[in-house]
Amino acid sequence: MKRLAILASGSGSNAEKIMEYFQKSTKGEVALIASNKSDAYVLERAKKFGVPAFSFTRKEMEAGHLLKKLQEEGIDWVILAGFLLKIPEDLIQAFPDRMVNIHPALLPKYGGKGMYGMHVHEAVKAAGEKETGITIHLVNEHYDEGKIIFQAATTLEAQDSPEDIARKIHELEHRYFPEVIDSLL
Ligand code: GRF
């Protein structure tokens, strides 16, 4: 069984879908949930699924404690599901082609600095895009520029608000992220 760790900074709806999916899997298991926010709701979701969870500070991550923990736990894949800190290079290098991120837009558009959460949907709305979507990619030193593994698009109506766009994106994420991770194992 491949051992997955999920890093998340917020609500963790994607983390929940991944935990739910791998509960039935013989290929992989969610062995750990970690967050840089001690009050992140994702930690509550981990409790519900009986998955060990912990929080860490940016300083602890940059001092190598997160990497040490992932290695101690024999983690094979690191899944970023709404993780908002820049991953230290030594952590990326410890999981070559084994670190996956999901971005709520069709990269390379709407990627890069500051493009996360509602900022992405607001920018897509402001640009009058007729479609948007999700991108699941490997993480390398250049972050949102890692190898694209999967993309799915959804059409937008002129009257869609950024919140409507966020809802459409979450539906795509919840539908595809677990299966795409499974296909990588
Ligand atoms: C998702 O939209 C994901 O694309 C982005 O952060 C959001 C996380 O949502 N990276 P949740 O915490 O999984 O609900």
Side-chain angles (χ1 to χ4, degrees):
M1 288 272 256
K2 296 294 182 195
R3 290 171 61 79
L4 312 178
I6 303 176
L7 305 188
S9 303
S11 163
S13 70
N14 278 285
E16 173 144 356
K17 291 294 174 191
I18 296 165
M19 286 190 282
E20 205 174 321
Y21 180 97
F22 282 96
Q23 264 187 334
K24 314 176 199 69
S25 168
T26 55
K27 283 171 72 178
E29 60 184 342
V30 179
L32 191 59
I33 296 264
S35 180
N36 59 305
K37 294 271 182 224
S38 56
D39 60 349
Y41 189 63
V42 69
L43 299 171
E44 292 307 310
R45 295 183 196 261
K47 276 199 197 102
K48 194 165 68 174
F49 283 84
V51 173
F54 74 102
S55 65
F56 56 87
T57 64
R58 179 202 294 265
K59 273 168 66 73
E60 285 167 337
M61 176 178 71
E62 288 168 353
H65 299 312
L66 175 60
L67 173 52
K68 188 164 171 292
K69 177 86 175 169
L70 294 173
Q71 289 169 328
E72 280 167 2
E73 293 295 322
I75 296 300
D76 299 296
W77 283 82
V78 178
I79 312 298
L80 308 184
F83 186 67
L84 298 182
L85 296 184
K86 181 118 183 62
I87 305 281
E89 287 212 5
D90 62 342
L91 185 46
I92 295 175
Q93 284 156 6
F95 292 93
D97 291 344
R98 293 287 183 279
M99 187 178 286
V100 188
N101 183 45
I102 188 165
H103 186 76
L106 294 169
L107 291 176
K109 293 174 78 172
Y110 306 104
K113 197 144 180 56
M115 276 294 155
Y116 60 89
M118 286 309 290
H119 299 300
V120 177
H121 310 314
E122 285 154 4
V124 164
K125 173 74 186 168
E129 297 284 358
K130 297 275 183 291
E131 70 164 11
T132 187
I134 61 170
T135 303
I136 296 171
H137 63 94
L138 297 180
V139 174
N140 64 20
E141 285 74 8
H142 308 293
Y143 216 66
D144 281 350
E145 292 160 26
K147 179 169 174 272
I148 290 179
I149 301 291
F150 175 83
Q151 291 190 303
T154 181
T155 52
L156 296 180
E157 311 303 328
Q159 71 273 17
D160 278 339
S161 67
E163 289 70 22
D164 294 323
I165 298 172
R167 184 176 39 74
K168 289 182 173 181
I169 288 292
H170 265 82
E171 279 168 22
L172 285 180
E173 294 176 330
H174 297 167
R175 162 83 183 73
Y176 291 109
F177 201 8
E179 283 177 5
V180 170
I181 294 166
D182 186 276
S183 71
L184 288 169
L185 299 189

